[in-house]
PDB file of all heavy atoms in Angstrom:
ATOM      1  N   ARG A  23     141.820 184.038 129.423  1.00  0.00           N
ATOM      2  CA  ARG A  23     142.322 182.857 130.221  1.00  0.00           C
ATOM      3  C   ARG A  23     143.583 183.373 130.991  1.00  0.00           C
ATOM      4  O   ARG A  23     143.727 183.090 132.158  1.00  0.00           O
ATOM      5  CB  ARG A  23     142.664 181.743 129.300  1.00  0.00           C
ATOM      6  CG  ARG A  23     141.476 181.120 128.593  1.00  0.00           C
ATOM      7  CD  ARG A  23     141.933 180.094 127.603  1.00  0.00           C
ATOM      8  NE  ARG A  23     140.794 179.515 126.829  1.00  0.00           N
ATOM      9  CZ  ARG A  23     140.908 178.497 126.022  1.00  0.00           C
ATOM     10  NH1 ARG A  23     142.053 177.902 125.840  1.00  0.00           N
ATOM     11  NH2 ARG A  23     139.866 178.083 125.369  1.00  0.00           N
ATOM     12  N   GLN A  24     144.488 184.034 130.237  1.00  0.00           N
ATOM     13  CA  GLN A  24     145.686 184.468 130.876  1.00  0.00           C
ATOM     14  C   GLN A  24     145.438 185.534 131.981  1.00  0.00           C
ATOM     15  O   GLN A  24     146.059 185.458 132.988  1.00  0.00           O
ATOM     16  CB  GLN A  24     146.593 185.131 129.795  1.00  0.00           C
ATOM     17  CG  GLN A  24     147.258 184.123 128.868  1.00  0.00           C
ATOM     18  CD  GLN A  24     148.108 183.105 129.519  1.00  0.00           C
ATOM     19  OE1 GLN A  24     148.897 183.491 130.456  1.00  0.00           O
ATOM     20  NE2 GLN A  24     148.069 181.912 129.073  1.00  0.00           N
ATOM     21  N   ASN A  25     144.462 186.369 131.751  1.00  0.00           N
ATOM     22  CA  ASN A  25     144.107 187.355 132.772  1.00  0.00           C
ATOM     23  C   ASN A  25     143.589 186.636 134.033  1.00  0.00           C
ATOM     24  O   ASN A  25     143.901 187.060 135.125  1.00  0.00           O
ATOM     25  CB  ASN A  25     143.096 188.331 132.217  1.00  0.00           C
ATOM     26  CG  ASN A  25     143.668 189.323 131.256  1.00  0.00           C
ATOM     27  OD1 ASN A  25     144.864 189.602 131.279  1.00  0.00           O
ATOM     28  ND2 ASN A  25     142.801 189.958 130.443  1.00  0.00           N
ATOM     29  N   GLN A  26     142.758 185.629 133.862  1.00  0.00           N
ATOM     30  CA  GLN A  26     142.288 184.887 135.074  1.00  0.00           C
ATOM     31  C   GLN A  26     143.450 184.277 135.826  1.00  0.00           C
ATOM     32  O   GLN A  26     143.518 184.406 137.061  1.00  0.00           O
ATOM     33  CB  GLN A  26     141.383 183.793 134.673  1.00  0.00           C
ATOM     34  CG  GLN A  26     139.959 184.234 134.180  1.00  0.00           C
ATOM     35  CD  GLN A  26     138.992 183.110 133.974  1.00  0.00           C
ATOM     36  OE1 GLN A  26     139.371 181.916 133.989  1.00  0.00           O
ATOM     37  NE2 GLN A  26     137.805 183.419 133.672  1.00  0.00           N
ATOM     38  N   ILE A  27     144.339 183.620 135.106  1.00  0.00           N
ATOM     39  CA  ILE A  27     145.505 182.983 135.726  1.00  0.00           C
ATOM     40  C   ILE A  27     146.380 184.033 136.483  1.00  0.00           C
ATOM     41  O   ILE A  27     146.688 183.888 137.642  1.00  0.00           O
ATOM     42  CB  ILE A  27     146.310 182.155 134.727  1.00  0.00           C
ATOM     43  CG1 ILE A  27     145.518 181.080 134.078  1.00  0.00           C
ATOM     44  CG2 ILE A  27     147.653 181.742 135.335  1.00  0.00           C
ATOM     45  CD1 ILE A  27     145.531 179.771 134.835  1.00  0.00           C
ATOM     46  N   ARG A  28     146.719 185.049 135.729  1.00  0.00           N
ATOM     47  CA  ARG A  28     147.541 186.084 136.270  1.00  0.00           C
ATOM     48  C   ARG A  28     147.031 186.805 137.517  1.00  0.00           C
ATOM     49  O   ARG A  28     147.658 187.050 138.459  1.00  0.00           O
ATOM     50  CB  ARG A  28     147.976 187.100 135.155  1.00  0.00           C
ATOM     51  CG  ARG A  28     148.786 186.564 134.093  1.00  0.00           C
ATOM     52  CD  ARG A  28     150.213 186.527 134.457  1.00  0.00           C
ATOM     53  NE  ARG A  28     150.968 185.799 133.477  1.00  0.00           N
ATOM     54  CZ  ARG A  28     152.015 185.142 133.747  1.00  0.00           C
ATOM     55  NH1 ARG A  28     152.539 185.123 134.925  1.00  0.00           N
ATOM     56  NH2 ARG A  28     152.639 184.478 132.812  1.00  0.00           N
ATOM     57  N   THR A  29     145.671 187.086 137.416  1.00  0.00           N
ATOM     58  CA  THR A  29     145.030 187.723 138.564  1.00  0.00           C
ATOM     59  C   THR A  29     145.127 186.975 139.798  1.00  0.00           C
ATOM     60  O   THR A  29     145.526 187.424 140.879  1.00  0.00           O
ATOM     61  CB  THR A  29     143.585 188.062 138.226  1.00  0.00           C
ATOM     62  OG1 THR A  29     143.497 188.944 137.085  1.00  0.00           O
ATOM     63  CG2 THR A  29     142.859 188.653 139.411  1.00  0.00           C
ATOM     64  N   VAL A  30     144.870 185.653 139.705  1.00  0.00           N
ATOM     65  CA  VAL A  30     144.961 184.809 140.910  1.00  0.00           C
ATOM     66  C   VAL A  30     146.340 184.691 141.434  1.00  0.00           C
ATOM     67  O   VAL A  30     146.580 184.751 142.602  1.00  0.00           O
ATOM     68  CB  VAL A  30     144.369 183.371 140.546  1.00  0.00           C
ATOM     69  CG1 VAL A  30     144.709 182.325 141.619  1.00  0.00           C
ATOM     70  CG2 VAL A  30     142.910 183.445 140.323  1.00  0.00           C
ATOM     71  N   LEU A  31     147.278 184.507 140.550  1.00  0.00           N
ATOM     72  CA  LEU A  31     148.696 184.344 140.946  1.00  0.00           C
ATOM     73  C   LEU A  31     149.203 185.637 141.586  1.00  0.00           C
ATOM     74  O   LEU A  31     149.930 185.622 142.609  1.00  0.00           O
ATOM     75  CB  LEU A  31     149.551 183.916 139.839  1.00  0.00           C
ATOM     76  CG  LEU A  31     149.436 182.511 139.284  1.00  0.00           C
ATOM     77  CD1 LEU A  31     150.269 182.229 138.107  1.00  0.00           C
ATOM     78  CD2 LEU A  31     149.610 181.504 140.397  1.00  0.00           C
ATOM     79  N   ARG A  32     148.885 186.808 141.038  1.00  0.00           N
ATOM     80  CA  ARG A  32     149.268 188.108 141.635  1.00  0.00           C
ATOM     81  C   ARG A  32     148.682 188.315 143.039  1.00  0.00           C
ATOM     82  O   ARG A  32     149.362 188.727 143.979  1.00  0.00           O
ATOM     83  CB  ARG A  32     148.908 189.242 140.769  1.00  0.00           C
ATOM     84  CG  ARG A  32     149.940 189.529 139.644  1.00  0.00           C
ATOM     85  CD  ARG A  32     149.701 190.848 138.962  1.00  0.00           C
ATOM     86  NE  ARG A  32     148.397 191.023 138.472  1.00  0.00           N
ATOM     87  CZ  ARG A  32     148.050 190.701 137.158  1.00  0.00           C
ATOM     88  NH1 ARG A  32     148.985 190.196 136.375  1.00  0.00           N
ATOM     89  NH2 ARG A  32     146.894 190.926 136.751  1.00  0.00           N
ATOM     90  N   GLU A  33     147.331 187.909 143.220  1.00  0.00           N
ATOM     91  CA  GLU A  33     146.665 188.055 144.474  1.00  0.00           C
ATOM     92  C   GLU A  33     147.355 187.173 145.519  1.00  0.00           C
ATOM     93  O   GLU A  33     147.448 187.597 146.690  1.00  0.00           O
ATOM     94  CB  GLU A  33     145.225 187.677 144.338  1.00  0.00           C
ATOM     95  CG  GLU A  33     144.413 188.741 143.673  1.00  0.00           C
ATOM     96  CD  GLU A  33     142.963 188.213 143.401  1.00  0.00           C
ATOM     97  OE1 GLU A  33     142.578 187.066 143.857  1.00  0.00           O
ATOM     98  OE2 GLU A  33     142.178 189.000 142.831  1.00  0.00           O
ATOM     99  N   LYS A  34     147.747 185.957 145.183  1.00  0.00           N
ATOM    100  CA  LYS A  34     148.279 185.007 146.163  1.00  0.00           C
ATOM    101  C   LYS A  34     149.798 185.070 146.325  1.00  0.00           C
ATOM    102  O   LYS A  34     150.263 184.857 147.414  1.00  0.00           O
ATOM    103  CB  LYS A  34     147.920 183.571 145.757  1.00  0.00           C
ATOM    104  CG  LYS A  34     146.462 183.357 145.661  1.00  0.00           C
ATOM    105  CD  LYS A  34     145.754 183.453 147.005  1.00  0.00           C
ATOM    106  CE  LYS A  34     144.276 183.157 146.930  1.00  0.00           C
ATOM    107  NZ  LYS A  34     143.614 183.363 148.197  1.00  0.00           N
ATOM    108  N   LEU A  35     150.543 185.451 145.290  1.00  0.00           N
ATOM    109  CA  LEU A  35     151.974 185.450 145.367  1.00  0.00           C
ATOM    110  C   LEU A  35     152.644 186.850 145.467  1.00  0.00           C
ATOM    111  O   LEU A  35     153.754 186.966 145.769  1.00  0.00           O
ATOM    112  CB  LEU A  35     152.575 184.778 144.125  1.00  0.00           C
ATOM    113  CG  LEU A  35     152.294 183.236 143.994  1.00  0.00           C
ATOM    114  CD1 LEU A  35     152.818 182.786 142.668  1.00  0.00           C
ATOM    115  CD2 LEU A  35     152.869 182.466 145.174  1.00  0.00           C
ATOM    116  N   GLY A  36     151.812 187.864 145.152  1.00  0.00           N
ATOM    117  CA  GLY A  36     152.449 189.213 145.197  1.00  0.00           C
ATOM    118  C   GLY A  36     153.513 189.322 144.107  1.00  0.00           C
ATOM    119  O   GLY A  36     153.318 188.789 143.054  1.00  0.00           O
ATOM    120  N   THR A  37     154.614 189.920 144.474  1.00  0.00           N
ATOM    121  CA  THR A  37     155.685 190.178 143.524  1.00  0.00           C
ATOM    122  C   THR A  37     156.342 188.882 143.073  1.00  0.00           C
ATOM    123  O   THR A  37     156.952 188.837 142.001  1.00  0.00           O
ATOM    124  CB  THR A  37     156.754 191.112 144.084  1.00  0.00           C
ATOM    125  OG1 THR A  37     157.293 190.593 145.287  1.00  0.00           O
ATOM    126  CG2 THR A  37     156.173 192.491 144.352  1.00  0.00           C
ATOM    127  N   ASP A  38     156.165 187.771 143.903  1.00  0.00           N
ATOM    128  CA  ASP A  38     156.774 186.520 143.429  1.00  0.00           C
ATOM    129  C   ASP A  38     156.057 186.022 142.191  1.00  0.00           C
ATOM    130  O   ASP A  38     156.623 185.080 141.497  1.00  0.00           O
ATOM    131  CB  ASP A  38     156.634 185.464 144.517  1.00  0.00           C
ATOM    132  CG  ASP A  38     157.658 185.725 145.680  1.00  0.00           C
ATOM    133  OD1 ASP A  38     158.605 186.487 145.433  1.00  0.00           O
ATOM    134  OD2 ASP A  38     157.406 185.183 146.775  1.00  0.00           O
ATOM    135  N   ALA A  39     154.914 186.508 141.845  1.00  0.00           N
ATOM    136  CA  ALA A  39     154.228 186.064 140.622  1.00  0.00           C
ATOM    137  C   ALA A  39     155.039 186.373 139.399  1.00  0.00           C
ATOM    138  O   ALA A  39     154.800 185.774 138.344  1.00  0.00           O
ATOM    139  CB  ALA A  39     152.818 186.696 140.561  1.00  0.00           C
ATOM    140  N   GLN A  40     155.943 187.305 139.496  1.00  0.00           N
ATOM    141  CA  GLN A  40     156.809 187.602 138.394  1.00  0.00           C
ATOM    142  C   GLN A  40     157.699 186.411 137.964  1.00  0.00           C
ATOM    143  O   GLN A  40     158.237 186.423 136.829  1.00  0.00           O
ATOM    144  CB  GLN A  40     157.662 188.840 138.659  1.00  0.00           C
ATOM    145  CG  GLN A  40     156.821 190.092 138.892  1.00  0.00           C
ATOM    146  CD  GLN A  40     157.715 191.241 139.388  1.00  0.00           C
ATOM    147  OE1 GLN A  40     158.838 191.140 139.665  1.00  0.00           O
ATOM    148  NE2 GLN A  40     157.091 192.384 139.417  1.00  0.00           N
ATOM    149  N   GLN A  41     157.907 185.497 138.861  1.00  0.00           N
ATOM    150  CA  GLN A  41     158.717 184.306 138.543  1.00  0.00           C
ATOM    151  C   GLN A  41     157.928 183.326 137.603  1.00  0.00           C
ATOM    152  O   GLN A  41     158.555 182.441 136.978  1.00  0.00           O
ATOM    153  CB  GLN A  41     159.075 183.506 139.798  1.00  0.00           C
ATOM    154  CG  GLN A  41     160.082 184.192 140.647  1.00  0.00           C
ATOM    155  CD  GLN A  41     161.421 184.331 139.912  1.00  0.00           C
ATOM    156  OE1 GLN A  41     161.799 185.354 139.355  1.00  0.00           O
ATOM    157  NE2 GLN A  41     162.147 183.222 139.889  1.00  0.00           N
ATOM    158  N   VAL A  42     156.627 183.533 137.405  1.00  0.00           N
ATOM    159  CA  VAL A  42     155.832 182.663 136.510  1.00  0.00           C
ATOM    160  C   VAL A  42     155.880 183.259 135.183  1.00  0.00           C
ATOM    161  O   VAL A  42     155.444 184.376 134.910  1.00  0.00           O
ATOM    162  CB  VAL A  42     154.383 182.561 137.040  1.00  0.00           C
ATOM    163  CG1 VAL A  42     153.612 181.642 136.129  1.00  0.00           C
ATOM    164  CG2 VAL A  42     154.409 182.013 138.498  1.00  0.00           C
ATOM    165  N   GLY A  43     156.452 182.467 134.218  1.00  0.00           N
ATOM    166  CA  GLY A  43     156.502 182.868 132.882  1.00  0.00           C
ATOM    167  C   GLY A  43     155.288 182.463 132.114  1.00  0.00           C
ATOM    168  O   GLY A  43     154.120 182.600 132.546  1.00  0.00           O
ATOM    169  N   VAL A  44     155.447 181.811 130.949  1.00  0.00           N
ATOM    170  CA  VAL A  44     154.370 181.362 130.076  1.00  0.00           C
ATOM    171  C   VAL A  44     153.679 180.159 130.648  1.00  0.00           C
ATOM    172  O   VAL A  44     154.340 179.155 130.946  1.00  0.00           O
ATOM    173  CB  VAL A  44     154.890 181.078 128.684  1.00  0.00           C
ATOM    174  CG1 VAL A  44     153.761 180.527 127.813  1.00  0.00           C
ATOM    175  CG2 VAL A  44     155.544 182.327 128.052  1.00  0.00           C
ATOM    176  N   LEU A  45     152.399 180.244 130.841  1.00  0.00           N
ATOM    177  CA  LEU A  45     151.547 179.112 131.124  1.00  0.00           C
ATOM    178  C   LEU A  45     150.517 179.080 130.031  1.00  0.00           C
ATOM    179  O   LEU A  45     149.593 179.889 129.953  1.00  0.00           O
ATOM    180  CB  LEU A  45     150.827 179.300 132.545  1.00  0.00           C
ATOM    181  CG  LEU A  45     151.747 179.234 133.738  1.00  0.00           C
ATOM    182  CD1 LEU A  45     150.886 179.468 135.012  1.00  0.00           C
ATOM    183  CD2 LEU A  45     152.442 177.906 133.868  1.00  0.00           C
ATOM    184  N   LEU A  46     150.691 178.112 129.143  1.00  0.00           N
ATOM    185  CA  LEU A  46     149.757 177.937 128.049  1.00  0.00           C
ATOM    186  C   LEU A  46     148.401 177.366 128.634  1.00  0.00           C
ATOM    187  O   LEU A  46     148.436 176.597 129.599  1.00  0.00           O
ATOM    188  CB  LEU A  46     150.300 176.944 127.047  1.00  0.00           C
ATOM    189  CG  LEU A  46     151.655 177.420 126.349  1.00  0.00           C
ATOM    190  CD1 LEU A  46     152.180 176.281 125.511  1.00  0.00           C
ATOM    191  CD2 LEU A  46     151.495 178.746 125.628  1.00  0.00           C
ATOM    192  N   THR A  47     147.272 177.793 128.035  1.00  0.00           N
ATOM    193  CA  THR A  47     146.007 177.439 128.555  1.00  0.00           C
ATOM    194  C   THR A  47     145.205 176.651 127.466  1.00  0.00           C
ATOM    195  O   THR A  47     145.158 177.045 126.374  1.00  0.00           O
ATOM    196  CB  THR A  47     145.203 178.625 129.032  1.00  0.00           C
ATOM    197  OG1 THR A  47     145.034 179.530 127.934  1.00  0.00           O
ATOM    198  CG2 THR A  47     145.854 179.330 130.168  1.00  0.00           C
ATOM    199  N   TYR A  48     144.565 175.538 127.896  1.00  0.00           N
ATOM    200  CA  TYR A  48     143.833 174.740 127.009  1.00  0.00           C
ATOM    201  C   TYR A  48     142.556 174.260 127.688  1.00  0.00           C
ATOM    202  O   TYR A  48     142.571 174.055 128.937  1.00  0.00           O
ATOM    203  CB  TYR A  48     144.607 173.464 126.554  1.00  0.00           C
ATOM    204  CG  TYR A  48     145.938 173.740 125.877  1.00  0.00           C
ATOM    205  CD1 TYR A  48     147.154 173.589 126.613  1.00  0.00           C
ATOM    206  CD2 TYR A  48     145.936 174.222 124.574  1.00  0.00           C
ATOM    207  CE1 TYR A  48     148.358 173.822 125.994  1.00  0.00           C
ATOM    208  CE2 TYR A  48     147.153 174.441 123.957  1.00  0.00           C
ATOM    209  CZ  TYR A  48     148.407 174.239 124.657  1.00  0.00           C
ATOM    210  OH  TYR A  48     149.574 174.531 124.089  1.00  0.00           O
ATOM    211  N   THR A  49     141.601 173.927 126.921  1.00  0.00           N
ATOM    212  CA  THR A  49     140.394 173.200 127.439  1.00  0.00           C
ATOM    213  C   THR A  49     140.756 171.693 127.177  1.00  0.00           C
ATOM    214  O   THR A  49     141.636 171.375 126.373  1.00  0.00           O
ATOM    215  CB  THR A  49     139.098 173.524 126.704  1.00  0.00           C
ATOM    216  OG1 THR A  49     139.247 173.046 125.310  1.00  0.00           O
ATOM    217  CG2 THR A  49     138.764 174.996 126.767  1.00  0.00           C
ATOM    218  N   PRO A  50     140.087 170.761 127.868  1.00  0.00           N
ATOM    219  CA  PRO A  50     140.339 169.385 127.599  1.00  0.00           C
ATOM    220  C   PRO A  50     140.107 168.992 126.085  1.00  0.00           C
ATOM    221  O   PRO A  50     140.877 168.253 125.490  1.00  0.00           O
ATOM    222  CB  PRO A  50     139.368 168.595 128.498  1.00  0.00           C
ATOM    223  CG  PRO A  50     139.176 169.549 129.643  1.00  0.00           C
ATOM    224  CD  PRO A  50     139.204 170.946 129.011  1.00  0.00           C
ATOM    225  N   ASP A  51     139.124 169.555 125.454  1.00  0.00           N
ATOM    226  CA  ASP A  51     138.830 169.315 124.104  1.00  0.00           C
ATOM    227  C   ASP A  51     140.003 169.842 123.173  1.00  0.00           C
ATOM    228  O   ASP A  51     140.365 169.134 122.227  1.00  0.00           O
ATOM    229  CB  ASP A  51     137.546 169.894 123.595  1.00  0.00           C
ATOM    230  CG  ASP A  51     136.301 169.199 124.198  1.00  0.00           C
ATOM    231  OD1 ASP A  51     136.514 168.017 124.649  1.00  0.00           O
ATOM    232  OD2 ASP A  51     135.227 169.797 124.202  1.00  0.00           O
ATOM    233  N   GLU A  52     140.443 170.998 123.455  1.00  0.00           N
ATOM    234  CA  GLU A  52     141.626 171.549 122.665  1.00  0.00           C
ATOM    235  C   GLU A  52     142.856 170.670 122.865  1.00  0.00           C
ATOM    236  O   GLU A  52     143.550 170.376 121.823  1.00  0.00           O
ATOM    237  CB  GLU A  52     141.916 172.931 123.141  1.00  0.00           C
ATOM    238  CG  GLU A  52     140.884 173.979 122.804  1.00  0.00           C
ATOM    239  CD  GLU A  52     141.087 175.300 123.503  1.00  0.00           C
ATOM    240  OE1 GLU A  52     141.849 175.411 124.499  1.00  0.00           O
ATOM    241  OE2 GLU A  52     140.373 176.238 123.061  1.00  0.00           O
TER     242      GLU A  52
END
């Protein structure tokens, strides 16, 4: 999950993606 999020953010934000810290990931059921 983290890899998916990080990949997209790095592709779109470049080095600015480093400003994004922890993004916890959940499914609706979780």
Side-chain angles (χ1 to χ4, degrees):
R23 295 173 186 189
Q24 291 297 321
N25 286 339
Q26 285 186 356
I27 298 271
R28 293 277 171 211
T29 297
V30 168
L31 291 176
R32 276 192 304 267
E33 287 175 359
K34 300 295 183 182
L35 294 174
T37 57
D38 286 342
Q40 295 173 355
Q41 287 295 102
V42 181
V44 176
L45 291 178
L46 301 174
T47 59
Y48 303 102
T49 66
D51 289 343
E52 290 167 345

